[in-house]
Amino acid sequence: MIPVTKPFLPPKEEVFQLLEGVWERKWLTNNGPLLNEYEIRLKEKLKLNHLLVTNNGTIALQIAIKALGLSGEVITTPFSYVATTSSLVWENCKPIFVDIDKNTFNIDPEKIESAITPKTSAILATHCFGNPCDIDAIKLIADKHDLKIIYDASHCFGTQYKGKSVLEFGDISTLSMHATKLIHCVEGGAVVTKDPDLLKKMAYMRNFGHDGPESFAGVGINGKNSEFHAAAGLAVLKYSDTILESRKNQKEYYDKALVNLDVQTQLDTKDSSPNYSYYPAVFSNEERALGAVKQLNLNEIYPRRYFHPLLSSLNYVDVKNQLPIANKIAKSILCLPMYYGLSKVEQDFISRILLRSKNYGV
Ligand SMILES: *Cc1c(COP(=O)(O)O)cnc(C)c1O
């Protein structure tokens, strides 16, 4: 059986060794020493000044929305994981979807401006599959209309834009370190900002609003992560370069093997080096994609229709704008299996079945 993804598991002993100290200290959570170290190591690795680890990537988004005081309408992408939209609605903001670019699958900046109204407070965009948005164009629009920018950079550990971590951009960027993400700590996330005041605010928001043992600076939530997660995260982080490198090799291997397949892959954004956290393949239409799924499933290979359905089809959103490109891509896209340890032999096998599926008709 070949699933779409498998979590990376570091050597057990390395996690257990870190946990020894937890037993000695009897300090299990509440921003303990391992969590602190995890934050420091993440900042070093990603060359970032301000980062806070949270208990997942969804709470990271909610803290970001709350810290920026967003309200009213927020312009966002329909082509992302549900948490991008649900976190807006949960925080009483109204998502306004605009269409995506057909090559990068990211929000199309040209469609943003006409969706802005006096109620618009921000843009929440996802760097889809770890490939950066058109950051410069989005910044110009946001500055012109005095809007905040949040990037859902859940997929973006290791992604670079103009030689820096893509997490440096926007007022706040959020990261997910869920087990299925490229680099993980079982369950976890982070908020990143360049603004030290915003960081302070998010730090108390992450901890129930506490700014001292008996004082509260404002409203908060429990966004803290545990020593167990930090231990797992530290053990995984040690292998991040190896994981990223192997992903790049796997991406290039698929590119070569599938050169004669009738699919479109994701175009790398200019000036970026994506992390290739997924291998999306867009077929000519939905029937063709489902035909390929059928052939793969017969061989116990399970790609995923990611992202499908489109977020604009959720039963708690309104849709104002036409989204023809997102609709077409969501119906005809498959993410192919890609995870640390997937072998070339397996990639060959998957590729052969895909190439043969061209001839089966549907
Ligand atoms: C995974 C993911 C999230 C949610 O992160 P969790 O850590 O699972 O809460 C949000 N947005 C996107 C785009 C994701 O892929």
Side-chain angles (χ1 to χ4, degrees), residues 54-61 77 79-85 87 125-129 152-155 174-181 186-190 278 306-307 311:
T54 58
N55 43 13
N56 60 60
T58 307
I59 287 289
L61 278 167
T77 173
F79 194 66
S80 182
Y81 184 59
V82 67
T84 317
T85 294
S87 56
T126 299
H127 301 304
C128 190
F129 303 139
D152 180 343
S154 289
H155 300 165
T174 67
L175 182 65
S176 167
M177 291 175 296
H178 180 257
T180 55
K181 304 296 202 275
V186 185
E187 284 273 7
Y278 299 81
Y306 205 49
F307 300 104
L311 298 177

Side-chain angles (χ1 to χ4, degrees), residues 9-42:
L9 283 163
K12 280 195 222 92
E13 313 72 53
E14 296 183 12
V15 182
F16 293 165
Q17 201 183 348
L18 287 162
L19 289 177
E20 293 283 341
V22 175
W23 260 255
E24 281 160 27
R25 290 186 294 272
K26 300 189 169 37
W27 187 345
L28 301 181
T29 183
N30 289 356
N31 301 324
L34 287 179
L35 199 283
N36 216 4
E37 190 183 336
Y38 187 39
E39 263 174 5
I40 292 168
R41 297 271 170 270
L42 280 168

